[in-house]
Amino acid sequence: MTSHGFLKRNYPSKPSDVYLFSTCLIDQFTPQAGLNTVNLLEREGIRVHFPGQQTCCGQPAHSSGYPSEARSVALAQLNLFVEPWPVVVPSGSCGGMIRSHYPHLFAHDPELYAKAVALSNRVYELSEFLVHVVHFSHRDQGTPCTIALHTSCHARRQMGVHDTSAALLDSLENVQVKEQVRIDECCGFGGTFALLYPDISEAIATDKVAAIKATGASCVVSADCGCLLNITGRSAKQDELAGCQVPSLPGEHLATFLWQRTHGGPV
């Protein structure tokens, strides 16, 4: 067991092929993060395969108490990743759904359960894969900057990979990471939680934004698009109410931040 209570995985050597499960939010809102995930993996000599029929992981239905609907969505994904390659997910939230909950969803059906367990064992959150499988090591080509890191609840509590995002950022010599006082707290998004309990979600997000801004960081980085949209969205609303024309808290997905810092592009 690791110190945070999760079973230690036996990580494989770097594969020649992987699947990418890009997630709904990246597909719809931050497609560049998906493309930069591909860039990061291909630079390591890995062929990235993207099944075009992939959709949602099923988490919204599952967390809302609709197991039948979640099972239907999950089943469509279950039959897409047929080769025994790792499945890299640039989101601890979606990765946690597939790794932790798919076996439970199909526990009633021995054949589907076996498929779900086999898939679960091949799922890796992006930062986890880069640290433990790829052994990411690239020179930081960006100018000095100060950032804050936010790690999603699912990455922390379901997958146990909150340390890997920090490790990647710590490897960048020109990046200073400031730790927020609410580092282990939710951003308030929680998927459908933000829709069902908007007042509570807003209060949580407000506290999170204040904690990040208090660090003096110029940017917030997260490996989860949902959290990033919620944090920067709340900050943008505050900016609008205050009449600010320039975003006071820009955000970047970890994949894009890493690629830009180590590829020589703008940050």
Side-chain angles (χ1 to χ4, degrees), residues 68-92:
S68 295
E69 288 79 359
R71 194 175 296 113
S72 177
V73 175
L75 181 60
Q77 317 315 308
L78 198 61
N79 294 315
L80 291 179
F81 305 96
V82 294
E83 298 294 337
W85 302 325
V87 180
V88 179
V89 187
S91 163

Side-chain angles (χ1 to χ4, degrees), residues 56-63 66 69-71 73-74 77 97 102 105:
C56 177
C57 67
Q59 186 189 107
H62 181 264
S63 61
Y66 296 96
E69 288 79 359
R71 194 175 296 113
V73 175
Q77 317 315 308
M97 177 65 190
Y102 273 25
L105 283 175

Side-chain angles (χ1 to χ4, degrees), residues 146-160:
T146 301
I147 67 165
L149 170 67
H150 171 78
T151 308
S152 75
C153 297
H154 290 88
R156 284 179 173 275
R157 297 174 177 88
Q158 284 191 349
M159 301 194 79

Side-chain angles (χ1 to χ4, degrees), residues 34-226:
L35 295 174
N36 286 324
T37 296
V38 175
N39 289 335
L40 290 169
L41 296 172
E42 288 186 340
R43 181 170 60 182
E44 303 295 336
I46 299 172
R47 288 184 293 268
V48 181
H49 303 264
F50 182 83
Q53 299 88 352
Q54 63 180 274
T55 57
C56 177
C57 67
Q59 186 189 107
H62 181 264
S63 61
S64 299
Y66 296 96
S68 295
E69 288 79 359
R71 194 175 296 113
S72 177
V73 175
L75 181 60
Q77 317 315 308
L78 198 61
N79 294 315
L80 291 179
F81 305 96
V82 294
E83 298 294 337
W85 302 325
V87 180
V88 179
V89 187
S91 163
S93 184
C94 299
M97 177 65 190
I98 300 172
R99 185 190 288 181
S100 300
H101 296 295
Y102 273 25
H104 299 296
L105 283 175
F106 299 105
H108 66 289
D109 185 312
E111 182 179 350
L112 293 178
Y113 174 75
K115 276 188 174 183
V117 170
L119 176 60
S120 171
N121 290 334
R122 292 189 285 125
V123 167
Y124 298 88
E125 186 265 352
L126 174 62
S127 70
E128 172 189 29
F129 189 82
L130 291 177
V131 169
H132 294 302
V133 180
V134 169
H135 305 295
F136 180 93
S137 179
H138 292 276
R139 186 172 64 87
D140 184 359
Q141 300 181 50
T143 57
C145 69
T146 301
I147 67 165
L149 170 67
H150 171 78
T151 308
S152 75
C153 297
H154 290 88
R156 284 179 173 275
R157 297 174 177 88
Q158 284 191 349
M159 301 194 79
V161 297
H162 54 286
D163 293 336
T164 48
S165 288
L168 290 168
L169 294 173
D170 287 342
S171 74
L172 302 174
E173 59 181 310
N174 293 324
V175 176
Q176 182 180 15
V177 182
K178 291 283 191 175
E179 184 168 307
Q180 43 160 315
V181 295
R182 297 181 180 273
I183 186 65
D184 59 350
E185 294 182 14
C186 178
C187 72
F189 178 51
T192 55
F193 175 85
L195 301 177
L196 295 172
Y197 305 100
D199 292 341
I200 299 175
S201 176
E202 180 183 328
I204 296 172
T206 298
D207 287 344
K208 174 64 73 169
V209 168
I212 293 173
K213 287 183 175 180
T215 67
S218 60
C219 174
V220 58
V221 174
S222 178
D224 278 77
C225 182

